[in-house]
Amino acid sequence: MLYWSVLCQCCQVQERQKNHGHNEFGAEEEETLVRRYLEQFKEPMILLLLASAVVSVFMKQFDDAISITIAILIVVTVAFIQEYR
């Protein structure tokens, strides 16, 4: 009786492996630092600031556009460094 139980379990294991694959985790691709840095630009506040910089350029207020862009770069860089730690 024990032999039949072990044999039945082996068949179930093989059937499950055939249907679902082996019990393994796929190796995740590690994000590069550049990609992590660029991901910071998807934040809603950053997008809003970028839009205001573009509007400033269209209105020919280049000083404001440059100031906003520098502020964006500073905020994104600080956020990236904090996240990287």
Side-chain angles (χ1 to χ4, degrees), residues 2-29:
L2 180 63
Y3 174 74
W4 178 255
S5 175
V6 171
L7 182 62
C8 187
Q9 286 176 357
C10 280
C11 290
Q12 287 177 353
V13 168
Q14 290 174 349
E15 184 67 28
R16 288 181 183 168
Q17 284 179 346
K18 187 175 104 179
N19 291 336
H20 304 289
H22 293 281
N23 191 12
E24 298 175 345
F25 290 111
E28 281 190 30
E29 187 176 309

Side-chain angles (χ1 to χ4, degrees), residues 18-68:
K18 187 175 104 179
N19 291 336
H20 304 289
H22 293 281
N23 191 12
E24 298 175 345
F25 290 111
E28 281 190 30
E29 187 176 309
E30 188 171 323
E31 289 185 352
T32 62
L33 292 179
V34 173
R35 185 177 192 123
R36 281 187 179 176
Y37 184 78
L38 293 177
E39 287 287 322
Q40 299 294 324
F41 286 95
K42 291 184 179 178
E43 295 292 323
M45 183 59 74
I46 300 301
L47 292 174
L48 181 65
L49 287 170
L50 284 171
S52 12
V54 170
V55 169
S56 294
V57 168
F58 283 129
M59 295 179 66
K60 298 184 181 185
Q61 296 179 351
F62 299 112
D63 292 342
D64 290 342
I66 291 171
S67 300
I68 293 170

